[in-house]
Amino acid sequence: MSIAKRGRLYHLRRRVPRRYGGVELRETVWISLHTDSEMVARSKADRAWSQMIEAWEARLAGDSRDAEARYEAARDLARVRGFRYLDASSVAELPVGDVLERVEAIPAPANQPDRVEAAALLGTIPEPRITVTKALELYWTLAREKTFGKSEDQLRRWEAPRNKAIKNFVAVVGDKEIANITRDDMLDFRQHWLDRIEAGEVTANSANKDLIHLGDVLKTVNTMKRLGLALPLGELSFKEGEKKTRPPFSEDWIRTRLLALGALDGLNGQARALLLGMINTGYRPSQGAALTAETIRLDGDVPHISIEPEGRQLKSHYARRVIPLTGVSLTGVSLEALKQYPEGFPRYRNRATLSAVVNKFLRANGLLETPRHSLYSLRHAFEDRMLAAGIDDRIRRDLFGHRLDRERYGKGASLEHVAELVARIAF
């Protein structure tokens, strides 16, 4: 990078990178730094070069065949040149002096105005039409903050219902421009779901989830792209029936069936250890599967596990917690299983297969108390045992990673105290 005076002012002199040879005819550029102070010039040089790079990148994108890319490039290039992008009709309504300022800012080597720069400053790039499927493409970038910290499996499960909602809408209504979606379109989509609910194919809860995910995609694009559309998304949801929750395993069933000698012998070691660990901790299956050597802590005065966002996103910040290990979570075959997997449970880490494997085994071996029971019923059973034992609401919520419906004062119960309480209800 070279800084030198040209006339009264300092300029930055640099060779044009090969990447921009197609949009910049000069081999070397001189960029005015608008100062006669060398110290000020050097402080401004990096920013001036960054702006030049930004402009070249915008011009490269302006040659794209993708309408969205061309439009965004035009907006970026106008901004870099010190103007706000306006469509041609709006430019025509500007005062004559403002229009001339834009025209004079268009580079014209050999008296040939640069077409990309002209399009950006005079607003001849039409705003792209955003269809429903295009909105979904844009959504993944516009909503990327929602994906921060998600594991590969969490990301897949987050994307899947949104893909499904858009696919369903297009199948019923068509791939319309989102600006042209009418109230009738949304009512037709709702009727589609109503027909399926009446036929017993789906529940109202499932239909509402599809409507919610569709609305999330459309509203996010509308907001982040500053489209200013009045989307007809209100008052579409169905009245939901009573939510079906997994029943808890009874204490007798856990003791006499799940913990019976040899009952779990046909289950692979990692899945077996995770099931046993869940009985007296109540962790979610995905949280148990995510445990690592750093979060399985057996050597301290109070052996415990730590639920942390390692390589995955927790459901909320309350989910970050420590849980003491007691009963079958610490003694006998479970401790031996944990010792066999010093790195945790790589077979199920960041995969959504643990529950399916365990439930299939329990079902095949007659170990489900009713058809509605599942591995997750162990979490409900742990909650019921704590409630029956009179364990304080805050301690229960802290162990489960749930929000407390009041201000949290102090540090809460010590790990030693919680371990004593849980030990009383442990198997």
Side-chain angles (χ1 to χ4, degrees):
M1 184 181 295
S2 173
I3 296 175
K5 266 191 172 181
R6 297 187 76 183
R8 189 176 60 85
L9 302 178
Y10 278 94
H11 286 66
L12 168 65
R13 179 180 181 275
R14 287 197 68 164
R15 290 183 61 83
V16 176
R18 185 177 302 174
R19 169 178 171 79
Y20 307 115
V23 294
E24 176 58 71
L25 299 179
R26 295 170 292 178
E27 293 184 0
T28 303
V29 291
W30 288 83
I31 307 170
S32 175
L33 299 173
H34 305 289
T35 180
D36 59 2
S37 165
E38 183 177 358
M39 183 175 67
V40 173
R42 292 192 179 281
S43 69
K44 296 172 69 175
D46 285 342
R47 175 59 181 158
W49 182 245
S50 294
Q51 288 180 326
M52 180 63 74
I53 293 291
E54 194 174 356
W56 283 329
E57 286 291 341
R59 291 182 63 186
L60 280 178
D63 285 332
S64 168
R65 293 182 180 181
D66 184 272
E68 180 70 23
R70 288 201 308 274
Y71 183 72
E72 289 299 322
R75 291 180 60 176
D76 290 343
L77 187 53
R79 177 179 52 79
V80 170
R81 298 305 186 213
F83 299 95
R84 183 166 69 92
Y85 183 82
L86 299 172
D87 60 57
S89 61
S90 298
V91 171
E93 294 176 358
L94 292 173
V96 174
D98 290 349
V99 175
L100 287 175
E101 186 179 1
R102 287 175 177 255
V103 171
E104 290 171 355
I106 299 170
N111 293 322
Q112 293 294 322
D114 184 282
R115 63 178 182 82
V116 175
E117 301 263 0
L121 299 183
L122 300 182
T124 60
I125 301 294
E127 188 169 354
R129 298 176 177 181
I130 301 178
T131 63
V132 175
T133 53
K134 182 64 178 180
L136 182 63
E137 292 178 24
L138 296 172
Y139 175 82
W140 304 129
T141 299
L142 298 175
R144 63 185 179 277
E145 78 280 355
K146 297 180 182 179
T147 69
F148 294 162
K150 288 187 184 295
S151 68
E152 183 177 343
D153 179 61
Q154 287 178 316
L155 185 61
R156 178 188 59 77
R157 287 186 282 122
W158 177 77
E159 290 177 349
R162 289 159 177 82
N163 279 318
K164 172 177 167 287
I166 295 300
K167 181 180 179 181
N168 288 336
F169 183 83
V170 171
V172 174
V173 177
D175 193 16
K176 299 188 67 171
E177 294 179 35
I178 63 173
N180 295 335
I181 294 175
T182 66
R183 184 65 177 172
D184 282 344
D185 292 330
M186 296 308 303
L187 291 175
D188 287 344
F189 190 49
R190 187 183 191 278
Q191 184 63 46
H192 159 78
W193 281 109
L194 180 58
D195 292 342
R196 295 191 65 190
I197 293 170
E198 291 179 336
E201 296 177 5
V202 297
T203 65
N205 300 357
S206 297
N208 285 338
K209 287 179 181 179
D210 222 54
L211 290 166
I212 288 169
H213 292 311
L214 172 66
D216 177 34
V217 171
L218 298 182
K219 286 188 286 188
T220 298
V221 172
N222 186 37
T223 299
M224 300 304 291
K225 299 295 289 183
R226 305 177 189 182
L227 303 179
L229 302 176
L231 297 170
L233 301 174
E235 300 179 355
L236 295 168
S237 63
F238 297 94
K239 182 179 179 180
E240 297 187 0
E242 182 179 352
K243 290 186 177 180
K244 295 181 180 179
T245 59
R246 293 291 181 186
F249 282 114
S250 66
E251 292 187 34
D252 182 66
W253 189 272
I254 294 174
R255 182 180 296 107
T256 63
R257 301 299 297 273
L258 297 181
L259 296 181
L261 186 64
L264 304 177
D265 284 353
L267 190 59
N268 74 76
Q270 292 188 34
R272 183 167 174 268
L274 286 165
L275 182 155
L276 291 170
M278 191 174 175
I279 291 176
N280 290 330
T281 63
Y283 54 55
R284 291 184 173 87
S286 60
Q287 293 172 343
L291 291 171
T292 65
E294 289 72 32
T295 55
I296 300 173
R297 301 166 183 171
L298 304 176
D299 297 331
D301 294 335
V302 181
H304 63 278
I305 57 175
S306 180
I307 307 299
E308 299 177 9
E310 288 193 2
R312 65 192 303 274
Q313 190 180 78
L314 295 179
K315 195 168 185 179
S316 73
H317 69 275
Y318 302 107
R320 187 168 190 158
R321 63 202 189 278
V322 293
I323 307 174
L325 294 170
T326 55
V328 298
S329 297
L330 180 60
T331 60
V333 294
S334 184
L335 178 57
E336 292 305 312
L338 291 173
K339 287 181 177 179
Q340 290 174 27
Y341 304 105
E343 302 302 319
F345 307 94
R347 181 169 181 168
Y348 296 106
R349 188 177 300 136
N350 296 327
R351 293 185 176 90
T353 57
L354 174 62
S355 292
V357 168
V358 172
N359 289 332
K360 181 179 180 180
F361 174 85
L362 296 178
R363 189 177 302 110
N365 290 275
L367 294 176
L368 292 178
E369 196 165 357
T370 73
R372 291 182 57 206
H373 280 74
S374 71
L375 173 63
Y376 210 83
S377 296
L378 289 174
R379 181 169 163 85
H380 293 282
F382 184 60
E383 165 76 0
D384 278 2
R385 299 204 312 278
M386 288 195 296
L387 185 63
I391 293 178
D392 177 75
D393 180 51
R394 173 168 176 175
I395 293 176
R396 297 202 314 270
R397 289 178 179 271
D398 286 347
L399 282 170
F400 264 62
H402 287 166
R403 182 173 64 88
L404 186 66
D405 294 327
R406 61 174 175 80
E407 189 70 29
R408 268 185 163 84
Y409 295 106
K411 295 181 179 179
S414 68
L415 183 60
E416 290 79 7
H417 179 56
V418 175
E420 289 178 7
L421 294 176
V422 174
R424 298 173 190 172
I425 63 170
F427 287 97

